[in-house]
Amino acid sequence: MTYDIEWPEGKDFAFTIFDDPDWDSVENASVVYSFLMDLGLRTTKAVWPIAGDGRPRIGGATCDEPHYLKLMLHLQNQGFEIALHNVTHHTSSREQTAKGIETFFRLFGHYPYSMANHSGCQESIYWESARVSGVQRLFYNLLNLKLDGKNLGSQGHIEGSPLFWGDLCRRKIKYVRNFVLGDINTLKASPTMPYRDAARPYVNYWFVSSEGANVDSFNATLSEGNQERLTSERGACIMYTHFAKGFVVNGRLNDRFKVLMQRMSQMNGWFVPVRTLLDYILQVKGDRFITSAERNNLERRWLWHKIAHVRGRS
Ligand SMILES: [Zn+2]
């Protein structure tokens, strides 16, 4: 499987970011996004549309906060994609999830085009051990032994669970993120993406991302050498990140991040949101199911990556 794609407008490569809202605040997001906006980048910002009434393991601002919502609407207006990170920062029942998705529609005028699961939400879809198959699941469970016995696992795709919402996901959401790998060239690491998975039918299309969970791993993936390789390979990069995790300290952007992003923005890249990039790849390459050999290969590479990056996941 090759990933050789002609990018629009004579561009040499494609680059985007999917930013989860974990630890978000208005102050932090304002600093990061005015910087990206000034560079001319248009990426994807995931949100929690509603404030839950429970206690999150990892929380952050939600669209229930007027100043935060105003900022998100401004980003949307400027051409950023607003996406979903479950409907709030803790477990939601089917009813709450349905309400949150409708709230998203009311706020942003469309259902989410793309989404990523938030760790700690038990209604997450094909998450935790359900991310992987067969022998890989055995290894996953060995790596993630839950000693408290309270974790019920991911249930969004399990019909009959009070947390089930797979039918809503299939009807309303096009793309869901699963694996995160170390290569800056996400498309080279997963040339089948966006792909369908016959064993996970409640998700329409899956996409993969490149490691950047916090400022250190983001900067490492975006090194000058890796940027050069991304362009010479004519690849595509979808960075996975939490921009609230170390990118801004005392109101100031991380220097190395600034330098790397300025450099990237001056290259001949196609800088569009995740959904626009995936729609384009899908249109060029057509609708595809991942084969079990491709899937096993992807899962194994992800497990190795996970062992190397045990910290900073969410
Ligand atoms: Zn999260």
Side-chain angles (χ1 to χ4, degrees):
M1 177 78 59
T2 64
Y3 61 90
D4 198 19
I5 286 187
E6 281 294 316
W7 299 110
E9 302 158 22
K11 301 295 186 185
D12 294 331
F13 66 97
F15 175 83
T16 191
I17 303 166
F18 190 106
D19 168 32
D20 294 353
D22 307 46
W23 306 280
D24 254 5
S25 67
V26 177
E27 295 71 24
N28 190 93
S30 304
V31 173
V32 172
Y33 281 93
S34 47
F35 172 68
L36 296 181
M37 213 179 295
D38 289 349
L39 292 182
L41 300 187
R42 294 297 181 267
T43 58
T44 295
K45 176 79 195 93
V47 300
W48 287 306
I50 55 177
D53 49 13
R55 282 236 319 261
R57 190 172 60 84
I58 297 168
T62 74
C63 295
D64 215 39
E65 296 175 31
H67 292 298
Y68 186 78
L69 174 61
K70 197 173 159 202
L71 176 61
M72 295 302 118
L73 289 169
H74 177 61
L75 294 182
Q76 183 188 35
N77 197 31
Q78 294 296 313
F80 287 83
E81 175 192 0
I82 306 299
L84 191 72
H85 195 46
N86 294 95
V87 297
T88 193
H89 39 49
H90 59 69
T91 298
S92 300
S93 65
R94 175 181 175 83
E95 192 187 12
Q96 287 165 323
T97 299
K99 182 184 147 206
I101 292 173
E102 291 307 317
T103 302
F104 186 104
F105 183 93
R106 186 170 51 75
L107 298 175
F108 300 107
H110 61 80
Y111 289 112
Y113 303 120
S114 56
M115 100 146 229
N117 287 305
H118 175 55
S119 292
C121 288
Q122 286 177 357
E123 85 285 11
S124 281
I125 193 157
Y126 305 111
W127 202 238
E128 300 191 13
S129 62
R131 277 173 102 163
V132 288
S133 323
V135 71
Q136 286 86 247
R137 189 171 295 182
L138 206 73
F139 282 112
Y140 179 93
N141 287 331
L142 285 171
L143 288 169
N144 285 272
L145 288 175
K146 298 282 191 288
L147 299 177
D148 61 8
K150 289 179 194 155
N151 197 304
L152 301 173
S154 153
Q155 303 204 11
H157 55 285
I158 298 176
E159 289 174 48
S161 162
L163 308 183
F164 173 69
W165 66 287
D167 54 334
L168 304 177
C169 183
R170 190 166 58 190
R171 218 175 320 136
K172 315 218 182 241
I173 298 170
K174 191 167 180 183
Y175 301 110
V176 178
R177 183 182 72 211
N178 189 351
F179 303 113
V180 175
L181 297 168
D183 195 332
I184 190 173
N185 190 348
T186 321
L187 195 54
K188 184 184 179 190
S190 172
T192 43
M193 90 168 181
Y195 61 85
R196 292 184 184 272
D197 181 349
R200 290 165 180 81
Y202 287 121
V203 164
N204 289 302
Y205 297 97
W206 293 97
F207 67 99
V208 174
S209 286
S210 299
E211 180 64 47
N214 58 51
V215 70
D216 294 332
S217 63
F218 191 102
N219 289 347
T221 301
L222 239 67
S223 69
E224 289 85 351
N226 285 347
Q227 292 187 17
E228 288 305 314
R229 189 164 58 76
L230 179 66
T231 181
S232 69
E233 292 176 348
R234 303 186 62 80
C237 173
I238 300 179
M239 288 300 291
Y240 152 67
T241 200
H242 308 99
F243 274 142
K245 203 159 184 190
F247 291 77
V248 180
V249 177
N250 297 327
R252 281 203 56 206
L253 264 181
N254 176 276
D255 286 333
R256 176 85 178 132
F257 171 71
K258 267 168 79 173
V259 167
L260 291 170
M261 290 304 293
Q262 275 159 350
R263 185 184 193 281
M264 171 68 81
S265 72
Q266 285 159 12
M267 294 168 75
N268 186 32
W270 193 42
F271 302 116
V272 289
V274 170
R275 172 252 181 161
T276 312
L277 173 59
L278 294 176
D279 278 351
Y280 179 76
I281 299 173
L282 196 57
Q283 181 211 316
V284 171
K285 306 194 76 171
D287 205 298
R288 281 173 306 167
F289 280 87
I290 196 166
T291 65
S292 32
E294 285 166 344
R295 186 166 224 296
N296 284 335
N297 181 287
L298 196 54
E299 290 180 1
R300 281 170 200 167
R301 280 183 290 139
W302 174 69
L303 282 170
W304 280 113
H305 178 78
K306 190 176 164 68
I307 292 167
H309 286 82
V310 284
R311 295 191 314 156
R313 286 175 291 118
S314 62

Coordinates of all heavy atoms in Angstrom, one line a residue, residues 187-215:
L187 N 0.7 9.4 7.6 CA 0.1 8.6 6.4 C 1.1 7.5 6.0 O 0.6 6.5 5.6 CB -0.1 9.6 5.3 CG -1.0 9.1 4.1 CD1 -2.3 8.6 4.6 CD2 -1.1 10.2 3.1
K188 N 2.4 7.7 6.2 CA 3.3 6.6 5.9 C 3.2 5.5 7.0 O 3.2 4.4 6.7 CB 4.8 7.2 6.0 CG 5.8 6.2 5.6 CD 7.2 6.8 5.8 CE 8.3 5.9 5.4 NZ 9.6 6.4 5.8
A189 N 3.0 6.0 8.2 CA 2.8 5.0 9.3 C 1.5 4.2 9.2 O 1.4 3.1 9.6 CB 2.8 5.7 10.7
S190 N 0.5 4.8 8.5 CA -0.8 4.1 8.3 C -1.4 4.5 7.0 O -2.3 5.3 6.9 CB -1.8 4.6 9.4 OG -3.1 4.1 9.2
P191 N -0.8 3.9 5.9 CA -1.2 4.3 4.5 C -2.7 4.0 4.2 O -3.2 4.5 3.2 CB -0.3 3.5 3.6 CG 0.5 2.7 4.5 CD 0.2 2.9 5.9
T192 N -3.4 3.2 5.0 CA -4.8 2.8 4.7 C -5.7 3.9 5.3 O -6.9 3.9 5.0 CB -5.2 1.5 5.4 OG1 -4.6 1.4 6.7 CG2 -4.7 0.3 4.6
M193 N -5.2 4.8 6.1 CA -6.2 5.8 6.7 C -6.7 6.8 5.8 O -5.9 7.2 4.9 CB -5.6 6.4 8.0 CG -4.8 7.7 7.7 SD -4.4 8.6 9.2 CE -3.6 10.0 8.4
P194 N -7.9 7.3 5.9 CA -8.9 6.9 6.9 C -9.5 5.5 6.4 O -9.8 5.3 5.3 CB -10.0 8.0 6.8 CG -9.9 8.6 5.5 CD -8.4 8.4 5.1
Y195 N -9.7 4.6 7.4 CA -10.1 3.3 7.0 C -11.4 2.9 7.8 O -11.6 3.4 8.9 CB -9.0 2.2 7.3 CG -8.5 2.1 8.7 CD1 -9.2 1.3 9.6 CD2 -7.4 2.9 9.2 CE1 -8.8 1.2 11.0 CE2 -7.0 2.8 10.5 CZ -7.6 2.0 11.4 OH -7.2 1.9 12.7
R196 N -12.1 1.9 7.2 CA -13.2 1.3 8.0 C -12.6 0.0 8.6 O -11.7 -0.5 8.1 CB -14.3 0.9 7.0 CG -15.1 2.1 6.4 CD -16.2 1.6 5.6 NE -16.9 2.7 4.9 CZ -17.9 3.4 5.4 NH1 -18.4 3.2 6.6 NH2 -18.5 4.4 4.7
D197 N -13.3 -0.4 9.7 CA -12.9 -1.6 10.3 C -14.1 -2.5 10.5 O -15.0 -2.2 11.3 CB -12.2 -1.3 11.7 CG -11.7 -2.5 12.5 OD1 -12.1 -3.6 12.0 OD2 -11.0 -2.3 13.5
A198 N -14.1 -3.6 9.8 CA -15.3 -4.5 9.8 C -15.7 -5.0 11.2 O -16.8 -5.2 11.6 CB -15.1 -5.7 8.9
A199 N -14.7 -5.1 12.1 CA -14.9 -5.5 13.5 C -15.4 -4.4 14.4 O -15.7 -4.7 15.5 CB -13.6 -6.2 14.0
R200 N -15.4 -3.2 13.9 CA -15.8 -2.0 14.7 C -16.7 -1.1 13.9 O -16.4 0.0 13.6 CB -14.5 -1.3 15.2 CG -13.7 -2.1 16.2 CD -12.3 -1.5 16.4 NE -11.6 -2.3 17.4 CZ -11.0 -3.5 17.1 NH1 -11.0 -3.9 15.9 NH2 -10.4 -4.1 18.1
P201 N -18.0 -1.7 13.7 CA -18.8 -1.0 12.7 C -19.5 0.3 13.1 O -20.1 1.0 12.3 CB -19.9 -2.1 12.4 CG -19.9 -3.0 13.7 CD -18.5 -3.0 14.1
Y202 N -19.5 0.6 14.4 CA -20.1 1.8 14.8 C -19.3 3.1 14.5 O -19.8 4.2 14.7 CB -20.5 1.8 16.3 CG -21.7 0.8 16.6 CD1 -21.5 -0.3 17.4 CD2 -22.9 1.0 16.0 CE1 -22.6 -1.1 17.7 CE2 -24.0 0.2 16.2 CZ -23.8 -0.9 17.0 OH -24.9 -1.7 17.3
V203 N -18.1 2.9 14.1 CA -17.3 4.0 13.7 C -17.2 4.0 12.2 O -16.9 2.9 11.6 CB -15.8 3.9 14.3 CG1 -14.9 4.9 13.6 CG2 -15.9 4.3 15.8
N204 N -17.5 5.1 11.5 CA -17.5 5.1 10.1 C -16.0 5.0 9.5 O -15.8 4.1 8.7 CB -18.1 6.4 9.6 CG -19.6 6.4 9.8 OD1 -20.3 5.5 9.3 ND2 -20.1 7.3 10.6
Y205 N -15.2 5.9 10.0 CA -13.8 5.9 9.5 C -12.8 6.2 10.7 O -13.1 7.0 11.5 CB -13.5 6.9 8.4 CG -14.3 6.7 7.2 CD1 -15.5 7.5 7.0 CD2 -13.9 5.9 6.2 CE1 -16.2 7.3 5.8 CE2 -14.6 5.7 5.0 CZ -15.7 6.4 4.8 OH -16.5 6.3 3.7
W206 N -11.7 5.4 10.7 CA -10.7 5.7 11.8 C -9.5 6.4 11.2 O -9.2 6.3 10.0 CB -10.2 4.3 12.3 CG -11.2 3.5 13.0 CD1 -11.9 2.5 12.5 CD2 -11.5 3.6 14.4 NE1 -12.7 1.9 13.5 CE2 -12.5 2.6 14.7 CE3 -11.1 4.4 15.4 CZ2 -13.0 2.4 15.9 CZ3 -11.6 4.2 16.7 CH2 -12.6 3.2 16.9
F207 N -8.9 7.2 12.0 CA -7.7 7.9 11.6 C -6.6 7.7 12.7 O -6.9 7.4 13.9 CB -7.8 9.3 11.3 CG -8.2 10.3 12.4 CD1 -7.2 11.1 13.0 CD2 -9.5 10.4 12.8 CE1 -7.5 12.0 14.0 CE2 -9.8 11.3 13.8 CZ -8.9 12.1 14.4
V208 N -5.4 7.9 12.3 CA -4.2 7.6 13.2 C -3.6 9.0 13.4 O -3.9 10.0 12.7 CB -3.2 6.7 12.5 CG1 -1.9 6.5 13.2 CG2 -3.9 5.3 12.3
S209 N -2.8 9.2 14.4 CA -2.1 10.4 14.7 C -0.6 10.2 15.1 O -0.2 9.1 15.3 CB -2.8 11.2 15.9 OG -4.0 11.7 15.4
S210 N 0.1 11.3 15.1 CA 1.5 11.3 15.4 C 1.7 11.8 16.9 O 1.0 12.8 17.3 CB 2.3 12.1 14.5 OG 2.2 11.6 13.2
E211 N 2.7 11.3 17.6 CA 2.9 11.6 19.0 C 3.2 13.0 19.3 O 4.1 13.6 18.7 CB 4.0 10.7 19.6 CG 4.3 10.9 21.0 CD 3.1 10.5 21.9 OE1 2.5 9.4 21.7 OE2 2.8 11.3 22.8
G212 N 2.4 13.6 20.2 CA 2.7 15.0 20.6 C 1.9 15.3 21.8 O 1.4 16.5 22.0
A213 N 1.7 14.4 22.7 CA 0.7 14.5 23.9 C 1.1 15.7 24.8 O 0.2 16.3 25.3 CB 0.7 13.2 24.7
N214 N 2.3 16.1 24.9 CA 2.7 17.2 25.7 C 3.8 18.0 24.9 O 4.2 17.6 23.8 CB 3.2 16.8 27.1 CG 4.4 15.8 26.9 OD1 5.4 16.1 26.2 ND2 4.3 14.7 27.6
V215 N 4.2 19.1 25.5 CA 5.1 20.0 24.7 C 6.4 19.3 24.3 O 6.9 19.5 23.2 CB 5.4 21.3 25.5 CG1 6.2 21.1 26.7 CG2 6.0 22.4 24.5

